[in-house]
Amino acid sequence: MPAIEFTTEIDARPDVVWGHLTAFDRYEEWNPFTPSVSTDGRLGDSVTLRAVLSERLPPRRTDLVITRLDPPHALCWGAESRALRVERCQTLTDLGDGRTRYRSHETFEGLAGLVVVALTGRWLRRGYAAAAAGLKQVAES
């Protein structure tokens, strides 16, 4: 199963990082990859986000559902069609001493999974790195 992942360490407690990760109306302040997220933030709720996959293309709207919500440890959202099931999980691990490991991991299942990763994988990796850097910066400030 194809997957894309990015991990970083943040010098802030998990509850602080979680607060920024779930302040959906403030994503534009720190997240250049996903500057717009609209959801009520409850398990099973719909999520509409706009992701920037390329500097040459307008942001792409994606409609998803929150599939896992485990404060302050995990936030996952995904979507499913006949040819593709996708799920992105953002997890926080307490490293002690006021530090957190942030991990963004997206899986792609189904016939279209390999095609999606082949076409967008490079941009997704860059986007996850940019989002992690923004989250790190806002949580540490």
Side-chain angles (χ1 to χ4, degrees):
M1 162 176 39
I4 295 174
E5 177 177 332
F6 189 86
T7 303
T8 193
E9 291 186 11
I10 300 174
D11 290 326
R13 296 183 327 269
D15 61 307
V16 171
V17 179
W18 183 261
H20 292 289
L21 188 63
T22 57
F24 304 112
D25 60 335
R26 302 191 71 173
Y27 265 45
E28 68 183 57
E29 296 173 15
W30 62 266
N31 192 333
F33 174 60
T34 313
S36 171
V37 175
S38 177
T39 183
D40 288 333
R42 294 183 306 260
L43 185 63
D45 279 355
S46 63
V47 178
T48 299
L49 59 85
R50 295 198 187 283
V52 179
L53 296 178
S54 166
E55 305 87 32
R56 296 182 300 251
L57 298 173
R60 180 172 179 251
R61 177 187 163 143
T62 305
D63 295 311
L64 307 160
V65 172
I66 294 179
T67 58
R68 181 177 171 206
L69 186 62
D70 180 18
H73 306 289
L75 170 64
C76 305
W77 48 51
E80 189 169 347
S81 68
R82 253 186 256 183
L84 178 66
R85 181 181 185 278
V86 60
E87 183 177 54
R88 178 181 181 198
C89 289
Q90 298 174 89
T91 59
L92 306 178
T93 303
D94 189 343
L95 299 175
D97 296 328
R99 295 179 315 116
T100 302
R101 178 176 298 117
Y102 166 78
R103 178 179 182 238
S104 180
H105 180 87
E106 188 160 5
T107 56
F108 302 83
E109 297 179 40
L111 298 173
L114 291 172
V115 174
V116 170
V117 171
L119 293 176
T120 65
R122 186 176 88 195
W123 297 109
L124 290 173
R125 284 182 190 87
R126 285 183 187 173
Y128 290 171
L135 182 59
K136 179 178 175 70
Q137 182 177 16
V138 73
E140 290 179 352
S141 61

